[in-house]
């Protein structure tokens, strides 16, 4: 799930590599890892594999420095392609901001590609997401093998929505960064459309100031495909995606079961309810970032001359050290944020709201 953390001035987005078994998803992440500078990448983590086969997922965090002080963090995941791991695929897909579908170009596996693409569509639909309006691109992989299907045929069979598509040879790293660059562009544009009041991170990409983006551009050997009529993601309403399978109590975040600080602030507790929702879902990283973002917004709304957020926090009566700690927690990678830290973030948001009420 994408988040904007105004406090740490960073945006984080999740991109999932989806496709049938052995199509080259893990290889794609391995080669991306190998071709990005060490400063811009984290460790490639492969959770539970059996030989070549992914049993859970691979994870690769990437970071890009932005010109105007905004950092873009990408979290790349792969799903296990084998048909019987559908529950795991759903878990990994949950909260994705964009998908790279990795098809195997060999004629003998066309049916597996079609089955996997249909599986992607239905799993997204279960999460309340409509693929035509969701950022996605395709890789036609293994172009180095003899006798693969022509691209026109793959396009006709798999790319009915006219998404950007790329010929790739994942094992040699060819075409991967072009595909990654395009999905990133689409995800950021989509995020922009859903949070129009936020700072636009696209500047880093178009201006060439982003380390990752410029490396991606430099290494992108395939020309960008002509516009193929994908429905503009900007058409999606700026609302959080609903999960129709979620229990009723969670669907409406204002109606959380049990204890909720959000009820202290009738009509103004939406952000707080979102943090509490994340905590209940054990999404501690997003909870902490959301809380930090909400605190930053509260501080930004203070009518005082003081510009620095830390100074504003102190003026509001927040503990300066606690405020700094919140920033540090929110800047951590999702997986590193613990429950006590996320609860601390919630505490600080509640404290800020309580203090603001007294002004
Ligand atoms: N010739 C060729 N082989 C490739 C290419 N990409 C991947 N492979 C090989 O295909 C096999 C499967 O690749 P993986 O990346 O493990 O496939 P996967 O999609 O992660 O598979 P699952 O984890 O089972 O879903 C490996 O032996 C790779 O070396 C390619 O572009 N060309
Ligand atoms: Mg794999």
């Amino acid at each position: 799930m994408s988040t904007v953390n105004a406090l740490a001035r960073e945006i984080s987005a999740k991109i999932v590599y989806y496709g049938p078994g052995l199509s080259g998803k893990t290889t794609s992440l391995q080669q991306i890892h190998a071709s990005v500078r060490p400063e811009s990448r984290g460790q490639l983590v492969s959770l539970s594999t059996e030989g070549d086969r992914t049993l859970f997922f691979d994870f690769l965090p990437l970071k890009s420095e932005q010109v105007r002080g905004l950092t873009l963090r990408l979290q790349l995941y792969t799903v296990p392609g084998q048909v019987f791991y559908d529950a795991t695929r759903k878990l990994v897909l949950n909260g994705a901001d964009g998908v790279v579908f990795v098809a195997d170009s060999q004629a003998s596996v066309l049916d597996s590609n079609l089955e996997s693409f249909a599986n992607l569509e239905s799993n997204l639909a279960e999460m309340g997401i409509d693929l035509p309006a969701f950022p996605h691109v395709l890789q036609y992989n293994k172009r180095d093998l003899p006798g693969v299907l022509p691209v026109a045929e793959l396009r006709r069979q798999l790319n009915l929505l006219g998404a950007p598509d790329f010929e790739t040879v994942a094992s040699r790293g060819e075409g991967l960064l072009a595909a990654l660059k395009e999905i990133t562009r689409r995800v950021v544009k989509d995020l922009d459309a859903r949070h129009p009041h936020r700072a636009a991170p696209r500047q880093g990409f178009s201006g060439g100031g982003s380390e990752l983006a410029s490396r991606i551009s430099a290494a992108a050997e395939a020309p960008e495909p002509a516009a193929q009529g994908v429905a503009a993601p900007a058409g999606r309403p700026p609302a959080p995606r609903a999960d129709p399978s979620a229990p009723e109590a969670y669907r409406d975040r204002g109606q959380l079961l049990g204890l909720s600080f959000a009820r202290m602030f009738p009509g103004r507790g939406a952000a707080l309810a979102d943090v509490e929702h994340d905590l209940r879902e054990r999404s501690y990283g997003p909870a902490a970032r959301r809380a930090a973002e909400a605190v930053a917004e509260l501080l930004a709304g203070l009518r005082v001359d003081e510009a620095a957020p830390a100074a504003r926090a102190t003026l509001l009566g927040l503990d300066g050290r606690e405020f700094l700690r919140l920033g540090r927690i929110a800047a951590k990678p999702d997986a590193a944020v613990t429950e006590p830290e996320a609860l601390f973030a919630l505490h600080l948001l509640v404290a800020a709201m309580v203090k603001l009420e007294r002004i």
Side-chain angles (χ1 to χ4, degrees):
M1 183 193 296
S2 60
T3 51
V4 181
N5 177 2
L7 205 60
R9 294 195 61 72
E10 68 177 36
I11 290 174
S12 133
K14 174 175 178 179
I15 295 171
V16 175
Y17 284 67
Y18 211 96
L22 298 179
S23 68
K25 301 175 294 295
T26 298
T27 310
S28 293
L29 254 62
Q30 287 167 342
Q31 291 293 330
I32 290 168
H33 179 259
S35 59
V36 169
R37 288 223 318 230
E39 308 87 86
S40 300
R41 66 177 198 221
Q43 221 180 345
L44 172 62
V45 179
S46 291
L47 268 194
S48 184
T49 53
E50 197 173 66
D52 262 358
R53 316 305 302 265
T54 304
L55 300 189
F56 198 18
F57 61 80
D58 309 292
F59 170 64
L60 173 63
L62 297 178
K63 186 174 123 184
S64 121
E65 290 303 327
Q66 303 287 315
V67 203
R68 296 177 203 186
L70 215 68
T71 300
L72 174 64
R73 286 182 187 276
L74 297 179
Q75 293 160 347
L76 310 188
Y77 286 83
T78 71
V79 297
Q82 293 178 85
V83 176
F84 39 87
Y85 289 127
D86 199 36
T88 307
R89 270 195 296 282
K90 285 183 194 177
L91 273 179
V92 176
L93 195 57
N94 195 23
D97 299 296
V99 163
V100 176
F101 186 84
V102 183
D104 188 327
S105 299
Q106 298 177 94
S108 55
V109 290
L110 179 61
D111 282 349
S112 311
N113 287 323
L114 289 167
E115 189 181 351
S116 176
F117 200 85
N119 174 255
L120 168 65
E121 276 189 296
S122 77
N123 281 344
L124 283 174
E126 270 184 35
M127 295 167 195
I129 297 172
D130 192 23
L131 184 60
F134 185 68
H136 70 285
V137 303
L138 283 84
Q139 290 184 193
Y140 303 131
N141 194 35
K142 304 197 183 179
R143 297 309 297 168
D144 58 316
L145 293 179
V148 291
L149 287 175
V151 167
E153 175 66 8
L154 286 165
R155 204 171 263 160
R156 199 175 63 76
Q157 296 276 358
L158 286 169
N159 196 3
L160 301 178
L161 296 171
D165 47 12
F166 300 84
E167 294 185 52
T168 59
V169 181
S171 46
R172 299 203 294 249
E174 292 172 19
L176 303 179
L177 293 179
L180 175 58
K181 182 187 171 200
E182 180 60 21
I183 190 62
T184 304
R185 205 178 64 76
R186 288 186 171 245
V187 162
V188 168
K189 193 172 157 198
D190 183 55
L191 179 61
D192 233 14
R194 283 187 286 137
H195 299 274
H197 59 293
R198 315 281 191 213
R202 261 180 293 175
Q203 292 151 348
F205 279 87
S206 53
S210 142
E211 157 60 14
L212 174 62
S214 49
R215 284 198 56 76
I216 288 172
S217 311
E221 63 287 275
E224 293 210 354
Q228 290 164 13
V230 159
R236 203 133 46 87
R241 296 179 187 115
D243 178 357
S245 65
E248 203 57 45
Y250 285 91
R251 208 179 294 166
D252 180 355
R253 292 178 187 185
Q255 298 287 314
L256 289 168
L257 286 174
L259 184 71
S260 169
F261 286 112
R263 296 205 196 112
M264 280 173 75
F265 310 97
R268 293 183 297 114
L272 199 49
D274 279 346
V275 175
E276 291 175 336
H277 174 81
D278 283 340
L279 267 157
R280 281 164 211 263
E281 301 272 287
R282 299 180 203 281
S283 298
Y284 301 129
R289 274 204 308 277
R290 238 192 248 280
E293 186 190 340
V295 170
E297 277 182 8
L298 289 177
L299 294 176
L302 282 180
R303 275 188 229 102
V304 290
D305 290 337
E306 200 56 68
R312 284 173 168 248
T314 317
L315 271 178
L316 189 58
L318 293 176
D319 182 309
R321 283 164 311 170
E322 289 191 358
F323 179 75
L324 294 176
R325 185 175 166 216
L326 176 65
R328 269 204 314 280
I329 293 171
K332 283 181 165 193
D334 277 2
V337 178
T338 62
E339 184 180 18
E341 286 173 332
L343 283 165
F344 168 80
L346 172 66
H347 140 77
L348 212 63
L349 174 56
V350 174
M353 292 183 74
V354 168
K355 286 183 169 26
L356 206 61
E357 265 201 331
R358 297 211 188 117
I359 290 180

